[in-house]
Amino acid sequence: MEVLKLVAIGVVISVIAILLKSVRPELSVMVTIAGSILMLLFIINYFTEIFNTFHQIISKSGIDSNIFWIVIKIIGVGYLVEFGANICADSGNNGIADKIVLGGKIIIFLMAMPIVTSLFNIILELVP
Amino acid sequence: MGIEIIFKIAIVGVISAISNQLLKSAGKDDIATLITLATVVIVLFMLVGMIGELFDKVKSLFSLY
């Protein structure tokens, strides 16, 4: 049922953006930005349920939870990078969008470093 | 935070376009450009508020401090 709302908002935003493009081009970019913010705010409520269930599973399974928190941070970074990159791509400057995506990848790689090192230590312990 | 913000921006855009036409026909072109700037600034203020709220929510949810 929620999907209908999402689709309806998307269609309305694109129609209004096209309307404004002929009349006021700079405002059409702002309508797309406002629309994407609205949809993201709408989607973000679902994340809490997903994270709660994952948290229970992880806490039962005995994996140490800071890896779980790193994964959540990575999802958040990906979320924001996708938001910014698409807005820049929509408004026409793809170069900036690629820069944002590149920066996001590097930040995510940086965040994933502790996981790699802990994995490496585990492997070292296995090898006698 | 519903969809009325999108309609507000659309209305502001249409009003500024109409007023520009009127001012141009009345011969006052400088005021027309001022109105264009004014509408852009108004909509930017709305947007900054929304972006701030989105970033706060993402920060709190994903604990991205």
Side-chain angles (χ1 to χ4, degrees), chain A residues 8-9 12-13 16 19-20 23-24 26-27 29-31 33-38 40-41 44-45 47-48 51 69 72-77 79-80 83 111, chain B residues 1-7 9-10 12-14 16-18 20 32 35-36 39-41 43-44 47 50-51 53-55 57-59 61-65:
Chain A
I9 290 180
V12 165
I13 289 161
I16 289 182
L19 164 74
L20 277 181
V23 175
R24 263 277 160 276
E26 68 275 7
L27 284 191
V29 173
M30 293 191 197
V31 164
I33 292 175
S36 51
I37 290 173
L38 266 184
L40 285 182
L41 282 176
I44 208 163
N45 305 325
F47 271 113
T48 43
F51 286 159
W69 286 115
I72 290 211
K73 277 189 179 160
I74 288 175
I75 292 173
V77 167
Y79 194 81
L80 284 179
F83 166 67
M111 280 184 181
Chain B
M1 181 61 79
I3 199 157
E4 71 275 2
I5 288 181
I6 305 281
F7 297 134
I9 296 176
V12 165
V14 169
S16 79
I18 293 170
N20 272 11
I35 283 188
T36 321
T39 47
V40 170
V41 167
V43 174
L44 266 183
L47 272 187
M50 286 174 72
I51 289 179
E53 186 190 346
L54 176 73
F55 281 172
K57 248 189 179 175
V58 168
K59 252 200 289 192
L61 182 65
F62 294 107
S63 65
L64 276 176
Y65 307 121

Side-chain angles (χ1 to χ4, degrees), chain A residues 52-72:
Chain A
N52 293 343
T53 46
F54 268 123
H55 195 60
Q56 282 147 17
I57 294 166
I58 294 251
S59 57
K60 286 199 189 80
S61 71
I63 307 169
D64 60 347
S65 71
N66 57 14
I67 288 183
F68 173 68
W69 286 115
I70 291 176
V71 168
I72 290 211

Side-chain angles (χ1 to χ4, degrees), chain A:
Chain A
M1 191 42 207
E2 300 301 332
V3 183
L4 302 182
K5 215 173 171 185
L6 212 62
V7 169
I9 290 180
V11 168
V12 165
I13 289 161
S14 51
V15 165
I16 289 182
I18 289 170
L19 164 74
L20 277 181
K21 201 177 278 282
S22 59
V23 175
R24 263 277 160 276
E26 68 275 7
L27 284 191
S28 82
V29 173
M30 293 191 197
V31 164
T32 45
I33 292 175
S36 51
I37 290 173
L38 266 184
M39 295 172 89
L40 285 182
L41 282 176
F42 188 67
I43 289 165
I44 208 163
N45 305 325
Y46 300 129
F47 271 113
T48 43
E49 290 152 29
I50 296 171
F51 286 159
N52 293 343
T53 46
F54 268 123
H55 195 60
Q56 282 147 17
I57 294 166
I58 294 251
S59 57
K60 286 199 189 80
S61 71
I63 307 169
D64 60 347
S65 71
N66 57 14
I67 288 183
F68 173 68
W69 286 115
I70 291 176
V71 168
I72 290 211
K73 277 189 179 160
I74 288 175
I75 292 173
V77 167
Y79 194 81
L80 284 179
V81 161
E82 190 261 343
F83 166 67
N86 281 346
I87 285 180
C88 295
D90 276 355
S91 56
N93 26 29
N94 295 320
I96 296 177
D98 294 342
K99 304 277 182 304
I100 293 177
V101 170
L102 176 68
K105 279 179 191 160
I106 290 171
I107 288 170
I108 286 175
F109 190 72
L110 200 66
M111 280 184 181
M113 268 308 154
I115 298 180
V116 173
T117 44
S118 69
L119 180 68
F120 193 68
N121 295 341
I122 291 169
I123 291 170
L124 276 186
E125 281 155 22
L126 294 179
V127 175

